[in-house]
Amino acid sequence: MKHLYVQALMAMSGLMCLSGCTGEVVNESAVSEPAGVLRVMTRSGDEGTTPLSGASVYLFNNSGACVSILSSETTGAYASAKLPAGTYTLYAWGGDGLSGLVLPTQAQASSSYALTLAENQSLGDLLMKEETVTLADGDNETVDMTLERKVIEISSVTITQVPEDISGVQVSVAPLYGQVQLNGEYVSSSTAPCVITLTSQGSGTWAATPQLITFPSKSKPVITITFTAEGADPRSYSYTANEALEANHKFNLEGTYTEPLGVTITGTITAQAWESGATDITFDFDESNSGTSSTEEPADAPVAGELYNEYYVVSVDASNRKAVLLSKTDVSYDNKVSDINTRLSQVARIDGSTANWRVPSLTECQTFLSDSDTPGISYGSSYYCLNDGALNRIKVEKQNGTITLGEPKSSDYSNITILRPVIDISY
């Protein structure tokens, strides 16, 4: 991790700029005697070995009033000020992004002042440190402050195996903090998601290297991938990360799209400190919004073969807290295969889920058809299922309490084929 160390000297007067010399600059503003001298330098580099220019340091007295603003505009120069004895709070800000912010004047400054971007400016590298110093009569105090990065960088985003018919790919990350206060605390202001538009690289790969600097996430963020195709509504798939996106890290997002009907995107968020090794946060997410994983099973978890919120549970993946639920009613009673996706999109989603209904796999179909407790099964009829990606039909019959399933066929057993869709949920 790259550490920036800041030393600065505070004065009771307004903004003080440092000259090109490397010696001390003393604020000779009249102060009541006796007084002490506070010395501060801004530094950057590993372990604070390199003096830093361009930092602004706000000095507040014990009553919360801003008594001075210092600016270390020359590398290697100290700033110092004569001050009455007392306790002072210093807020030091530095980094390339400082020039893009509207900083408060001494009259405007307060610890809760929210820094804002100047017009037509984007957020840049931003570092900050708070320090409290007590100055006694006749003291000469030198303050060392280690600036800590307050932003993250999304360095690159890559999605592979994107279908050929897709004409646009976007990735968004939310919620992110919208502002930061002078005291370094983030403001939970309402802000739009961070949206990154990818471009096609050929062979099904879409990518972007935005090197986008933004504030960290307010909580465990939701990462959403949206696919756009000509003549079709956008399709979005979301995942809730297991960890927050913390400041002072760079992130690479990599995902892989798989199909059919039951999209699953797997990938890695690589979190790399600005100057150190990388830590990988691996994730799987799909249209059901997989959420976070946990080893503790909730008390109201769904159980395969039973009802969960009035829906029959086809299967449960306890390790990932996922389940497959069966629709309460049938969707189609005819052989119009071409409009299945349209019919599925018209079925209302389950409350709390972002997933759409889908055609069950052969295994899922066999599971709920062979269970005599599955509600609403029409025995003697055929049901749609997916077998190795192809749409098949499987016939279910019940005689003397015994359920028999026929072999899956591409042609129909009868004039009626029923679609009983399933849906993926997280719990």
Side-chain angles (χ1 to χ4, degrees):
M1 180 182 295
K2 180 177 180 180
H3 296 290
L4 297 181
Y5 295 82
V6 177
Q7 294 182 329
L9 292 172
M10 300 297 165
M12 292 185 62
S13 61
L15 181 66
M16 179 179 71
C17 298
L18 303 179
S19 67
C21 67
T22 59
E24 233 177 63
V25 180
V26 179
N27 185 333
E28 299 292 352
S29 299
V31 296
S32 58
E33 296 294 343
V37 176
L38 183 64
R39 305 174 71 249
V40 189
M41 176 180 279
T42 58
R43 297 182 184 273
S44 65
D46 293 339
E47 300 181 359
T49 57
T50 305
L52 172 71
S53 63
S56 292
V57 189
Y58 288 76
L59 173 63
F60 290 81
N61 63 18
N62 203 33
S63 299
C66 181
V67 296
S68 185
I69 305 172
L70 303 181
S71 178
S72 60
E73 294 189 351
T74 303
T75 299
Y78 280 90
S80 62
K82 289 183 178 180
L83 299 168
T87 299
Y88 297 89
T89 301
L90 287 65
Y91 299 122
W93 286 87
D96 296 340
L98 201 63
S99 61
L101 294 177
V102 177
L103 299 175
T105 64
Q106 183 175 335
Q108 295 170 328
S110 69
S111 62
S112 60
Y113 183 95
L115 305 181
T116 58
L117 287 172
E119 187 176 358
N120 299 321
Q121 295 293 314
S122 57
L123 189 62
D125 195 10
L126 196 60
L127 305 103
M128 181 269 174
K129 180 64 176 178
E130 174 185 348
E131 195 78 49
T132 300
V133 178
T134 298
L135 189 65
D137 292 339
D139 273 358
N140 289 284
E141 292 286 343
T142 299
V143 181
D144 292 319
M145 302 175 70
T146 303
L147 264 67
E148 300 170 353
R149 188 166 274 104
K150 302 296 291 185
V151 293
I152 66 171
E153 179 184 292
I154 299 179
S155 302
S156 66
V157 183
T158 303
I159 305 297
T160 58
Q161 296 183 192
V162 176
E164 293 182 358
D165 65 328
I166 297 300
S167 58
V169 179
Q170 285 188 330
V171 174
S172 66
V173 182
L176 302 174
Y177 285 107
Q179 289 179 310
V180 66
Q181 296 178 161
L182 193 64
N183 61 7
E185 294 183 8
Y186 296 106
V187 179
S188 298
S189 59
S190 176
T191 182
C194 170
V195 179
I196 300 168
T197 300
L198 280 59
T199 57
S200 176
Q201 310 297 305
S203 302
T205 297
W206 291 67
T209 54
Q211 295 182 309
L212 176 66
I213 294 179
T214 183
F215 290 119
S217 61
K218 293 165 59 176
S219 56
K220 298 175 181 179
V222 175
I223 300 169
T224 302
I225 298 177
T226 300
F227 293 146
T228 303
E230 297 294 337
D233 293 332
R235 308 197 305 269
S236 296
Y237 311 98
S238 298
Y239 160 76
T240 301
N242 291 329
E243 300 179 19
L245 303 184
E246 296 182 350
N248 196 44
H249 286 83
K250 298 180 179 180
F251 296 91
N252 297 316
L253 279 62
E254 300 176 2
T256 301
Y257 174 96
T258 60
E259 58 179 353
L261 294 178
V263 175
T264 298
I265 302 174
T266 61
T268 300
I269 303 176
T270 302
Q272 180 178 354
W274 241 258
E275 292 286 336
S276 62
T279 301
D280 291 342
I281 306 172
T282 60
F283 63 91
D284 297 309
F285 69 92
D286 56 26
E287 53 198 0
S288 67
N289 189 352
S290 67
T292 60
S293 60
S294 174
T295 57
E296 183 180 352
E297 191 76 355
D300 59 347
V303 177
E306 298 182 5
L307 294 182
Y308 178 74
N309 295 336
E310 300 183 352
Y311 290 89
Y312 178 85
V313 181
V314 179
S315 63
V316 174
D317 179 0
S319 62
N320 293 308
R321 288 193 179 179
K322 295 181 180 181
V324 177
L325 306 184
L326 183 68
S327 62
K328 296 179 181 179
T329 58
D330 305 326
V331 171
S332 176
Y333 285 92
D334 55 43
N335 293 323
K336 294 181 180 179
V337 176
S338 61
D339 68 350
I340 281 182
N341 288 333
T342 299
R343 290 170 181 263
L344 287 172
S345 66
Q346 295 170 349
V347 182
R349 293 173 175 172
I350 294 178
D351 290 343
S353 173
T354 60
N356 293 317
W357 294 93
R358 60 177 176 82
V359 179
S361 68
L362 173 60
T363 300
E364 291 168 335
C365 198
Q366 290 171 330
T367 298
F368 67 75
L369 290 179
S370 60
D371 187 350
S372 59
D373 293 330
T374 304
I377 296 300
S378 179
Y379 296 103
S381 297
S382 301
Y383 282 78
Y384 283 118
C385 65
L386 282 176
N387 183 19
D388 292 330
L391 192 66
N392 281 190
R393 299 169 175 87
I394 184 171
K395 189 172 184 180
V396 54
E397 295 193 342
K398 183 177 182 181
Q399 294 181 350
N400 300 322
T402 301
I403 298 173
T404 302
L405 301 178
E407 293 296 322
K409 295 182 179 180
S410 58
S411 58
D412 200 5
Y413 289 98
S414 64
N415 293 327
I416 296 177
T417 302
I418 300 171
L419 174 58
R420 193 74 180 273
V422 295
I423 196 169
D424 302 284
I425 67 161
S426 294
Y427 62 90

